[in-house]
Structures are given as structure tokens and as C-alpha cells.
Coordinates of all heavy atoms in Angstrom, one line a residue:
N12 N -9.3 -6.4 6.4 CA -8.9 -6.2 5.0 C -8.4 -4.7 4.9 O -7.3 -4.4 4.2 CB -10.0 -6.4 4.0 CG -9.6 -6.3 2.6 OD1 -8.5 -6.7 2.3 ND2 -10.4 -5.7 1.8
D13 N -9.1 -3.7 5.5 CA -8.7 -2.4 5.5 C -7.3 -2.2 6.1 O -6.4 -1.5 5.6 CB -9.6 -1.5 6.2 CG -10.9 -1.2 5.4 OD1 -10.9 -1.6 4.2 OD2 -11.9 -0.8 6.0
R14 N -7.1 -2.9 7.2 CA -5.8 -2.8 7.9 C -4.6 -3.4 7.1 O -3.6 -2.8 7.0 CB -5.9 -3.5 9.3 CG -4.6 -3.5 10.1 CD -4.3 -2.2 10.6 NE -3.2 -2.2 11.4 CZ -2.4 -1.2 11.6 NH1 -2.6 -0.1 11.1 NH2 -1.3 -1.4 12.4
E15 N -4.9 -4.5 6.4 CA -3.9 -5.1 5.5 C -3.5 -4.2 4.4 O -2.4 -4.1 4.0 CB -4.4 -6.4 5.0 CG -4.4 -7.5 6.1 CD -4.9 -8.9 5.6 OE1 -5.3 -8.9 4.4 OE2 -5.0 -9.8 6.3
L16 N -4.5 -3.5 3.8 CA -4.3 -2.6 2.7 C -3.5 -1.4 3.2 O -2.6 -1.0 2.5 CB -5.6 -2.1 2.1 CG -6.4 -3.2 1.2 CD1 -7.7 -2.7 0.8 CD2 -5.5 -3.6 0.1
S17 N -3.8 -1.0 4.4 CA -3.1 0.2 5.0 C -1.6 -0.2 5.2 O -0.7 0.6 4.9 CB -3.7 0.6 6.3 OG -3.0 1.6 6.9
L18 N -1.4 -1.3 5.7 CA 0.0 -1.8 6.0 C 0.7 -2.0 4.7 O 1.9 -1.6 4.6 CB 0.0 -3.2 6.8 CG -0.4 -3.0 8.2 CD1 -0.6 -4.4 8.9 CD2 0.7 -2.2 9.0
E19 N 0.1 -2.5 3.7 CA 0.8 -2.7 2.4 C 1.1 -1.4 1.7 O 2.2 -1.2 1.2 CB -0.1 -3.5 1.4 CG 0.5 -3.8 0.1 CD 1.8 -4.7 0.2 OE1 1.8 -5.6 1.1 OE2 2.7 -4.5 -0.6
H20 N 0.3 -0.4 1.9 CA 0.5 0.9 1.4 C 1.7 1.5 2.1 O 2.6 2.2 1.5 CB -0.7 1.8 1.5 CG -0.5 3.2 1.0 ND1 -0.3 3.5 -0.3 CD2 -0.4 4.4 1.7 CE1 -0.1 4.8 -0.4 NE2 -0.2 5.4 0.8
A21 N 1.7 1.4 3.4 CA 2.8 2.0 4.2 C 4.1 1.3 3.8 O 5.2 2.0 3.8 CB 2.5 1.8 5.7
R22 N 4.1 0.0 3.7 CA 5.3 -0.7 3.2 C 5.8 -0.2 1.9 O 7.0 -0.1 1.7 CB 5.0 -2.2 3.2 CG 6.2 -3.1 3.2 CD 5.9 -4.6 3.3 NE 5.1 -4.9 4.5 CZ 3.9 -5.5 4.6 NH1 3.5 -6.0 3.5 NH2 3.3 -5.7 5.7
S23 N 4.9 0.0 1.0 CA 5.3 0.4 -0.3 C 5.9 1.8 -0.3 O 6.9 2.1 -0.9 CB 4.1 0.4 -1.3 OG 4.4 0.9 -2.5
E24 N 5.3 2.7 0.5 CA 5.8 4.0 0.7 C 7.1 4.0 1.4 O 8.0 4.7 0.9 CB 4.8 4.9 1.6 CG 5.2 6.3 1.7 CD 5.1 7.1 0.5 OE1 4.4 6.7 -0.4 OE2 5.8 8.1 0.4
Q25 N 7.4 3.2 2.3 CA 8.7 3.0 3.0 C 9.7 2.6 2.0 O 10.8 3.1 2.0 CB 8.5 2.0 4.1 CG 9.7 1.9 5.0 CD 9.7 3.0 6.1 OE1 8.7 3.5 6.4 NE2 10.9 3.3 6.6
E26 N 9.4 1.6 1.2 CA 10.3 1.1 0.1 C 10.7 2.2 -0.8 O 11.8 2.4 -1.2 CB 9.7 -0.1 -0.6 CG 10.5 -0.7 -1.6 CD 11.7 -1.5 -1.1 OE1 11.7 -1.9 0.1 OE2 12.7 -1.7 -1.8
H27 N 9.7 3.0 -1.2 CA 10.0 4.1 -2.1 C 10.9 5.1 -1.5 O 11.9 5.6 -2.1 CB 8.7 4.8 -2.6 CG 8.9 5.9 -3.5 ND1 9.2 5.8 -4.8 CD2 8.9 7.3 -3.2 CE1 9.4 7.0 -5.4 NE2 9.2 7.9 -4.4
L28 N 10.6 5.5 -0.2 CA 11.4 6.5 0.5 C 12.8 6.0 0.7 O 13.8 6.8 0.8 CB 10.8 6.9 1.8 CG 9.5 7.7 1.6 CD1 8.8 7.9 3.0 CD2 9.8 9.1 1.0
S29 N 13.1 4.7 0.8 CA 14.4 4.2 1.1 C 15.3 4.2 -0.2 O 16.5 4.1 0.0 CB 14.3 2.7 1.6 OG 14.0 1.8 0.6
H30 N 14.6 4.4 -1.3 CA 15.4 4.4 -2.6 C 15.3 5.7 -3.3 O 15.9 5.9 -4.4 CB 14.8 3.3 -3.5 CG 15.1 1.9 -3.1 ND1 14.3 1.2 -2.4 CD2 16.3 1.2 -3.3 CE1 14.8 0.0 -2.2 NE2 16.0 0.0 -2.7
H31 N 14.6 6.7 -2.7 CA 14.5 8.0 -3.4 C 14.6 9.2 -2.4 O 14.2 9.0 -1.2 CB 13.1 8.1 -4.1 CG 12.9 7.1 -5.2 ND1 12.6 5.9 -5.0 CD2 13.0 7.3 -6.5 CE1 12.5 5.2 -6.2 NE2 12.8 6.1 -7.1
D32 N 15.1 10.2 -2.9 CA 15.3 11.4 -2.1 C 13.9 12.0 -1.7 O 13.0 12.2 -2.6 CB 16.1 12.5 -2.8 CG 16.3 13.7 -2.0 OD1 17.2 13.7 -1.1 OD2 15.6 14.7 -2.2
S33 N 13.6 12.3 -0.5 CA 12.3 12.8 -0.1 C 12.0 14.1 -0.6 O 10.8 14.5 -0.8 CB 12.2 12.8 1.5 OG 13.2 13.6 2.1
L34 N 13.0 15.0 -0.8 CA 12.8 16.4 -1.3 C 12.5 16.4 -2.8 O 11.6 17.0 -3.2 CB 14.0 17.2 -0.9 CG 13.9 18.7 -1.3 CD1 12.7 19.4 -0.7 CD2 15.1 19.5 -1.0
T35 N 13.4 15.7 -3.5 CA 13.4 15.8 -5.0 C 12.6 14.6 -5.7 O 12.1 14.7 -6.8 CB 14.8 15.8 -5.6 OG1 15.4 14.6 -5.3 CG2 15.5 17.1 -5.1
G36 N 12.5 13.5 -4.9 CA 11.9 12.3 -5.5 C 12.9 11.6 -6.4 O 12.5 10.5 -7.0
L37 N 14.0 12.1 -6.6 CA 15.0 11.4 -7.4 C 15.6 10.1 -6.8 O 15.7 10.1 -5.5 CB 16.1 12.3 -7.9 CG 15.7 13.5 -8.7 CD1 16.8 14.5 -8.8 CD2 15.2 13.1 -10.1
P38 N 16.1 9.1 -7.5 CA 16.7 8.0 -7.0 C 18.0 8.4 -6.2 O 18.7 9.3 -6.5 CB 17.1 7.2 -8.2 CG 16.2 7.6 -9.2 CD 15.9 9.0 -9.0
N39 N 18.2 7.7 -5.1 CA 19.3 8.0 -4.2 C 20.5 7.0 -4.4 O 20.5 6.2 -5.3 CB 18.9 8.0 -2.8 CG 18.4 6.7 -2.3 OD1 18.6 5.6 -2.9 ND2 17.7 6.8 -1.1
R40 N 21.5 7.2 -3.7 CA 22.7 6.4 -3.8 C 22.5 4.9 -3.5 O 23.0 4.0 -4.2 CB 23.8 6.9 -2.8 CG 25.2 6.2 -3.0 CD 26.2 6.8 -2.0 NE 26.2 8.2 -2.3 CZ 27.3 9.0 -2.3 NH1 28.4 8.4 -2.0 NH2 27.2 10.3 -2.6
R41 N 21.6 4.6 -2.7 CA 21.3 3.1 -2.3 C 20.6 2.5 -3.6 O 21.0 1.4 -4.0 CB 20.3 3.1 -1.2 CG 19.9 1.7 -0.8 CD 19.0 1.7 0.3 NE 18.6 0.3 0.6 CZ 17.6 0.0 1.4 NH1 16.9 0.9 2.0 NH2 17.4 -1.3 1.6
F42 N 19.7 3.2 -4.2 CA 19.1 2.8 -5.4 C 20.1 2.6 -6.5 O 20.1 1.5 -7.2 CB 18.0 3.8 -5.9 CG 17.3 3.4 -7.1 CD1 16.2 2.6 -7.1 CD2 17.6 3.9 -8.4 CE1 15.5 2.3 -8.2 CE2 17.0 3.6 -9.5 CZ 15.9 2.8 -9.4
F43 N 21.0 3.6 -6.7 CA 22.1 3.4 -7.7 C 22.9 2.2 -7.4 O 23.3 1.4 -8.3 CB 22.9 4.7 -7.7 CG 24.2 4.6 -8.5 CD1 24.1 4.7 -9.9 CD2 25.4 4.4 -7.9 CE1 25.3 4.5 -10.6 CE2 26.5 4.3 -8.6 CZ 26.5 4.4 -10.0
S44 N 23.3 2.0 -6.2 CA 24.2 0.9 -5.8 C 23.6 -0.5 -6.1 O 24.2 -1.4 -6.7 CB 24.6 1.0 -4.4 OG 25.4 2.1 -4.1
Q45 N 22.3 -0.6 -5.8 CA 21.6 -1.8 -6.1 C 21.5 -2.1 -7.6 O 21.6 -3.2 -8.0 CB 20.2 -1.8 -5.5 CG 20.3 -2.0 -4.0 CD 18.9 -1.9 -3.3 OE1 17.9 -1.5 -3.9 NE2 18.8 -2.3 -2.0
R46 N 21.2 -1.0 -8.3 CA 21.0 -1.2 -9.8 C 22.3 -1.5 -10.5 O 22.4 -2.3 -11.4 CB 20.4 0.1 -10.4 CG 19.0 0.4 -10.0 CD 18.0 -0.6 -10.5 NE 17.9 -0.6 -11.9 CZ 16.9 -0.1 -12.7 NH1 15.9 0.5 -12.1 NH2 16.9 -0.1 -14.0
L47 N 23.4 -0.8 -10.0 CA 24.7 -1.2 -10.5 C 25.2 -2.6 -10.2 O 25.7 -3.2 -11.1 CB 25.8 -0.2 -9.9 CG 27.2 -0.3 -10.3 CD1 27.3 -0.2 -11.9 CD2 28.1 0.6 -9.7
E48 N 24.9 -3.0 -9.0 CA 25.3 -4.4 -8.6 C 24.5 -5.4 -9.5 O 25.1 -6.4 -9.9 CB 25.0 -4.7 -7.2 CG 25.5 -6.0 -6.6 CD 27.0 -6.1 -6.7 OE1 27.7 -5.1 -6.5 OE2 27.5 -7.2 -7.1
H49 N 23.2 -5.1 -9.8 CA 22.5 -6.0 -10.6 C 23.0 -6.0 -12.0 O 23.1 -7.1 -12.7 CB 21.0 -5.6 -10.6 CG 20.1 -6.3 -11.5 ND1 19.7 -7.6 -11.2 CD2 19.5 -6.0 -12.7 CE1 19.0 -8.1 -12.2 NE2 18.8 -7.1 -13.1
A50 N 23.3 -4.8 -12.6 CA 23.9 -4.8 -13.9 C 25.3 -5.5 -14.0 O 25.6 -6.2 -15.0 CB 24.1 -3.3 -14.3
L51 N 26.1 -5.4 -13.0 CA 27.4 -6.1 -13.0 C 27.2 -7.6 -12.9 O 27.9 -8.3 -13.6 CB 28.2 -5.7 -11.7 CG 28.8 -4.2 -11.8 CD1 29.4 -3.8 -10.4 CD2 29.8 -4.1 -12.9
D52 N 26.2 -8.1 -12.2 CA 25.8 -9.5 -12.1 C 25.4 -10.0 -13.5 O 25.8 -11.1 -13.9 CB 24.8 -9.8 -11.1 CG 25.2 -9.6 -9.6 OD1 26.4 -9.7 -9.4 OD2 24.4 -9.5 -8.7
L53 N 24.6 -9.2 -14.1 CA 24.1 -9.6 -15.5 C 25.3 -9.7 -16.4 O 25.3 -10.6 -17.3 CB 23.1 -8.7 -16.0 CG 21.7 -8.8 -15.4 CD1 20.8 -7.7 -15.9 CD2 21.1 -10.2 -15.7
A54 N 26.1 -8.7 -16.4 CA 27.3 -8.6 -17.3 C 28.2 -9.8 -17.0 O 28.7 -10.5 -18.0 CB 28.1 -7.4 -17.1

């Protein structure tokens, strides 16, 4: 159980880092592109 929780936390952290700048914590271009594509699909 501890190992599964540790892996889930690492996966969540990895997901956050893939969408946010590590220095500022602000959303990055990948995050923007995904959100824009979603908004275009909805429109």
C-alpha cells in the first residue's frame, strides 16, 4: 500500500511538472495547447 501511494504521488508530480514551469510553477505551452484544443473542440 505504501509503495502504491508513493507511485501515485510520483505520477501526480510528474503530470504537474509536464504541464507547469518548474521554476515559476506557471502553466507551460503544452498545458496551453491542450486547453486551447479542448476549447476549440467544445466550440
Side-chain angles (χ1 to χ4, degrees):
N12 189 39
D13 287 345
R14 180 68 177 155
E15 286 178 1
L16 290 174
S17 177
L18 286 172
E19 185 61 34
H20 177 71
R22 195 174 304 128
S23 176
E24 183 68 19
Q25 188 85 19
E26 181 71 19
H27 178 78
L28 289 174
S29 74
H30 289 97
H31 294 81
D32 182 79
S33 60
L34 180 62
T35 64
L37 295 172
N39 62 18
R40 187 175 302 219
R41 180 177 180 199
F42 181 84
F43 170 76
S44 295
Q45 288 178 346
R46 295 293 295 260
L47 178 60
E48 189 63 39
H49 179 71
L51 289 169
D52 288 342
L53 284 176

